């Protein structure tokens, strides 16, 4: 059968889609881009924000219309909304099957059941059947996502993830390293280790595994030019991990540490497990040990009970730390979370928008000021792909996007680019003679 995927949400969802696609290809099916050409459409969903969930229902509406033209079309729903809205989704006429986040290893069997006319819900845990030998349909030929831990144990009061992804479950380190070696033998030069809380890797295994040890072992695979990791949790970012990052220029200097708020009162209400003071000490430690680190964060504005004073503490935090990137979001209650159940959403939409826009403008100014320091410098990048205008783009080890002109043959290569123009976002440069860095 011909199968099309639509993926919403984080890199974990992208990796899950690649795993499902690989398994289906191994089973003799074909992956296609256009839904109009497909016999099966699988929507892999995100429930972190209300907006992402609404995108699913909009997509299902369009698939319902497509199903009127193609009566035999099979529609499946996977991912976090599948976990959250199980029966509601299955009751929709256009949906044939709904599978949970830990069921993807059985996708070929599920497709067979659906093809026989069965309408079903499957939420079983088959994660142990996903390992290095499980085929992946990688959409990139030099960078690969590698999930090392599933689930989350943090239970932040606003977050639905522990309820949709389940408790933390780490893969065996040998299994992960074998997957990376296989990727290296296929010509991959970059990997990103993934987890809802990647710093928790190994804690559930009780065998000495941790993220620092995993990265140290990965550095023994010389073909891997860059090792990335997402997403970190401030309370779990260890001194050992800082030392490992500092030890090699092949380990990403881009450290994403979500703070969420600069107010201790709000952090406590969010159940984040750390104070602003503890977070600032961690940032100071990172900047001391890794001076070229690029630190990014997540901020939620308008959390229940957030006063103007709480908001100003967050604003002052951004001004003092001077992050290189900030993901900003307005609080929205997610059904099933503690904050939705017990906290009144008492900050008006107008105030949320005002605070969000102020922080966006502040961060834009900070980004521009930081980027000015890159002007006229030569930066090593790995070329990732082309933009719509035909220009190439790549990324530095501290996650700066660099845009330049060059032939497509340079994609996947490591180059030195001289920066000529800076913006609050990407950097623009040029490559002389397109010389490749060994």
């Amino acid at each position: 059968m011909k199968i099309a995927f639509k993926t919403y949400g984080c890199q974990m969802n992208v990796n899950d889609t690649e795993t499902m696609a690989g398994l289906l290809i191994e089973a003799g099916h074909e992956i296609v881009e256009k839904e109009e050409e497909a016999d099966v459409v699988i929507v892999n969903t995100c429930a972190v924000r209300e907006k992402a969930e609404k995108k699913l229902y909009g997509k299902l509406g369009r698939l319902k219309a497509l199903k009127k033209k193609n009566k035999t079309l099979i529609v499946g729903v996977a991912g976090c909304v599948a976990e959250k809205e199980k029966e509601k989704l299955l009751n929709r006429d256009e949906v044939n099957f709904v599978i949970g986040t830990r069921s993807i290893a059985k996708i070929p069997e599920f497709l067979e059941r659906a093809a026989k006319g069965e309408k079903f819900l499957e939420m079983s845990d088959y994660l142990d059947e996903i390992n290095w030998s499980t085929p992946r349909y990688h959409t990139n030929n030099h960078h690969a996502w590698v999930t090392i831990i599933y689930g989350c144990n943090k239970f932040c009061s606003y977050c639905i993830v522990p309820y949709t992804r389940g408790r933390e479950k780490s893969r065996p380190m040998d299994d992960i390293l074998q997957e990376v070696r296989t990727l290296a033998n296929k010509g991959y030069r970059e990997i990103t280790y993934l987890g809802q809380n990647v710093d928790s890797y190994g804690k559930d295994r009780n065998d000495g595994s941790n993220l620092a040890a995993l990265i140290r072992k990965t550095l023994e695979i010389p073909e891997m030019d860059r090792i990335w990791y997402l997403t970190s949790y401030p309370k779990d970012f260890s001194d050992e991990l800082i030392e490992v990052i500092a030890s090699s220029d092949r380990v990403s200097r881009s450290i994403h540490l979500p703070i969420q708020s600069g107010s201790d009162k709000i952090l406590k209400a969010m159940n984040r497990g750390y104070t602003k003071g503890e977070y600032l000490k961690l940032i100071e430690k990172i900047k001391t040990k890794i001076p070229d680190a690029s630190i990014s964060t997540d901020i939620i504005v308008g959390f229940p009970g957030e006063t103007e004073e709480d908001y100003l503490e967050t604003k002052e935090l951004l001004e003092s730390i001077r992050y290189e990137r900030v993901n900003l979001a307005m609080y929205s209650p997610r059904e099933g979370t503690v904050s939705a159940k017990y906290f009144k959403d008492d900050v008006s939409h107008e105030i949320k928008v005002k605070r969000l826009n102020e922080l966006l403008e502040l961060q834009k100014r900070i980004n521009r000021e930081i980027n000015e320091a890159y002007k006229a410098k030569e930066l090593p990048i790995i070329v990732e792909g082309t933009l719509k205008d035909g220009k190439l783009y790549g990324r530095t080890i501290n996650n700066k996007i660099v845009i330049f002109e060059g032939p497509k043959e340079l994609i996947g290569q490591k180059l030195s680019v001289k920066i000529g123009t800076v913006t609050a976002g990407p950097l623009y440069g040029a490559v002389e003679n397109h010389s490749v860095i060994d």
Side-chain angles (χ1 to χ4, degrees), residues 12 146-152 154 168 170 176 192-203 209-212 214-215 228-233 236-237 241 256-257:
M12 292 282 288
V146 179
T147 298
I148 63 172
I149 180 171
Y150 301 86
C152 183
K154 294 304 180 189
E168 291 174 354
S170 301
I176 297 165
T192 299
Y193 285 139
L194 294 176
Q196 250 71 43
N197 176 14
V198 77
D199 303 328
S200 283
Y201 171 71
K203 289 182 178 180
S209 299
N210 60 46
L211 180 59
L214 176 61
I215 292 175
W228 306 80
Y229 41 90
L230 284 171
T231 290
S232 293
Y233 195 86
D236 297 334
F237 204 88
L241 181 56
H256 190 68
L257 282 171

Side-chain angles (χ1 to χ4, degrees), residues 102 125 127-128 148-151 167-171 204:
R102 296 182 175 228
D125 186 345
L127 286 184
D128 289 338
I148 63 172
I149 180 171
Y150 301 86
R167 304 294 82 75
E168 291 174 354
K169 190 172 185 177
S170 301
R171 289 174 60 189
D204 57 312

Side-chain angles (χ1 to χ4, degrees), residues 1-95:
M1 288 188 285
K2 294 181 178 180
I3 298 127
F5 283 91
K6 178 62 181 178
T7 306
Y8 297 107
C10 67
Q11 292 89 347
M12 292 282 288
N13 274 15
V14 173
N15 188 233
D16 286 351
T17 293
E18 290 182 346
T19 300
M20 287 190 282
L23 288 165
L24 290 168
I25 290 170
E26 186 183 51
H29 302 291
E30 179 185 354
I31 307 301
V32 297
E33 292 292 326
K34 296 181 180 178
E35 293 164 358
E36 292 77 11
E37 299 174 358
D39 303 305
V40 182
V41 177
I42 299 173
V43 188
N44 198 1
T45 63
C46 174
V48 171
R49 304 272 179 243
E50 184 179 10
K51 185 178 179 181
E53 194 168 327
K54 285 181 177 178
K55 285 182 180 179
L56 162 65
Y57 290 106
K59 169 59 72 175
L60 290 179
R62 292 188 290 276
L63 290 175
K64 186 174 184 178
L66 184 60
K67 212 164 183 175
K68 289 179 180 178
K69 299 177 183 177
N70 180 2
K71 304 292 184 184
T72 61
L73 180 66
I74 296 170
V75 175
V77 181
C80 290
V81 184
E83 293 275 0
K84 180 174 174 285
E85 303 286 346
K86 308 174 180 69
E87 291 81 7
K88 179 181 176 181
L89 287 168
L90 193 64
N91 287 335
R92 292 179 68 102
D93 292 338
E94 70 273 20
V95 175

Side-chain angles (χ1 to χ4, degrees), residues 317-331:
L317 187 83
L318 263 65
E319 290 173 330
S320 63
I321 292 179
R322 293 177 63 81
Y323 295 103
E324 295 222 15
R325 285 166 305 282
V326 177
N327 299 324
L328 288 159
M330 292 188 296
Y331 171 78

